[in-house]
Amino acid sequence: MNMYKNIASVAALIGDPTRTTILSSLADGRALTAGELAYIAEVSPQTASAHLTKLVEGGLLVMQAQGRHHYYRLTSSKVAEVMEEIASLAPPAPTRSLRESDQAKALRFARTCYEHLAGELGVSITNALLKKGYIKESNEKYQLTNLGEQWLIAFGVKIDGLNRLASSIPRHIDWTERHHHIGGPIAVGITRRLLELGWVTRGPVRRSIVLTDAGRIHIQREFNFE
């Protein structure tokens, strides 16, 4: 069982509440400074620095120096996927205030997970793509169909090397919906297109996505759901 020994070290890194908050805050794929992460985690800069050092040394974060600032981001989308998978196993966290309840509702409805849609909206779009025959289930992943490739082009989704990606679309378990949503470059491309069209926009809660008035109309027509 030696192959499982290193799990404990990674689990210990993720299991600390402050480090969990830091990792979750970076799960949309963007980079933040140490000061911003300290503010989000509600700890002192010195405490945040100690946690960030451990996460970098543990291979979960990378640091990039830009002038006087140090920016941190997840090493890869795999870290975000692991966080989502673990969250799907954890019991729901109790809300301690109306503010926390509103934030939780916003993230449950729609959020970014390493630049692609997750939450109720992400799951609903995935189900719509399945129903329309644009993607199909294939083992533990999804596969883009010829009809789906035509739709992506018509919808204006720009993805480099689409043919190489078409045979494999990651299937992520959504930790709030307990259902699957699509991930990977195609999901990122669809999310970016929705933002370009102005159908969705980034919400006031970090990582949250909200529908615009135009988006409510056009998304319902495009994907055939409420």
Side-chain angles (χ1 to χ4, degrees):
M1 302 295 287
N2 289 342
M3 60 186 290
Y4 296 111
K5 284 186 176 180
N6 289 339
I7 291 177
S9 62
V10 176
L13 284 173
I14 295 175
D16 179 88
T18 298
R19 291 195 287 271
T20 296
T21 300
I22 289 172
L23 291 169
S24 299
S25 300
L26 297 170
D28 59 358
R30 290 184 285 180
L32 291 177
T33 65
E36 289 171 323
L37 291 168
Y39 176 79
I40 292 171
E42 298 181 346
V43 296
S44 68
Q46 293 80 7
T47 299
S49 178
H51 285 297
L52 289 167
T53 296
K54 290 181 179 179
L55 289 169
V56 170
E57 291 176 348
L60 299 182
L61 295 184
V62 292
M63 185 274 288
Q64 292 178 315
Q66 196 169 58
R68 295 182 301 170
H69 298 289
H70 290 170
Y71 285 85
Y72 294 85
R73 61 177 175 81
L74 299 185
T75 304
S76 71
S77 62
K78 188 65 178 177
V79 180
E81 293 169 24
V82 169
M83 294 295 293
E84 292 269 321
E85 290 281 356
I86 293 175
S88 71
L89 299 174
T95 53
R96 297 170 296 181
S97 66
L98 178 61
R99 178 172 175 269
E100 282 191 1
S101 177
D102 289 341
Q103 289 177 339
K105 287 178 182 177
L107 293 174
R108 278 199 302 269
F109 173 68
R111 64 186 180 277
T112 51
C113 175
Y114 221 80
E115 298 189 75
H116 69 261
L117 273 179
E120 181 184 343
L121 184 59
V123 170
S124 295
I125 288 178
T126 296
N127 289 338
L129 296 176
L130 282 165
K131 188 174 181 179
K132 285 175 170 288
Y134 296 162
I135 61 174
K136 63 181 181 180
E137 294 191 31
S138 177
N139 296 322
E140 296 299 315
K141 298 185 178 182
Y142 296 114
Q143 182 176 358
L144 184 70
T145 64
N146 291 333
L147 188 63
E149 186 171 349
Q150 294 171 17
W151 172 78
L152 285 176
I153 295 170
F155 193 56
V157 177
K158 300 178 179 65
I159 305 172
D160 294 332
L162 178 59
N163 290 334
R164 296 196 306 274
L165 300 168
S167 62
S168 180
I169 302 175
R171 184 171 66 180
H172 297 170
I173 185 69
D174 195 286
W175 67 270
T176 55
E177 298 303 299
R178 301 306 202 260
H179 290 285
H180 292 103
H181 65 255
I182 61 172
I186 288 177
V188 172
I190 293 173
T191 304
R192 288 175 178 171
R193 183 56 177 157
L194 293 173
L195 287 165
E196 287 173 2
L197 291 169
W199 294 4
V200 300
T201 187
R202 298 190 186 277
V205 177
R206 179 162 181 81
R207 292 183 59 198
S208 69
I209 292 290
V210 297
L211 280 173
T212 63
D213 290 339
R216 290 184 184 277
I217 297 170
H218 292 296
I219 285 179
Q220 181 181 8
R221 290 175 179 171
E222 186 67 41
F223 298 104
N224 297 333
F225 62 77
E226 295 291 337

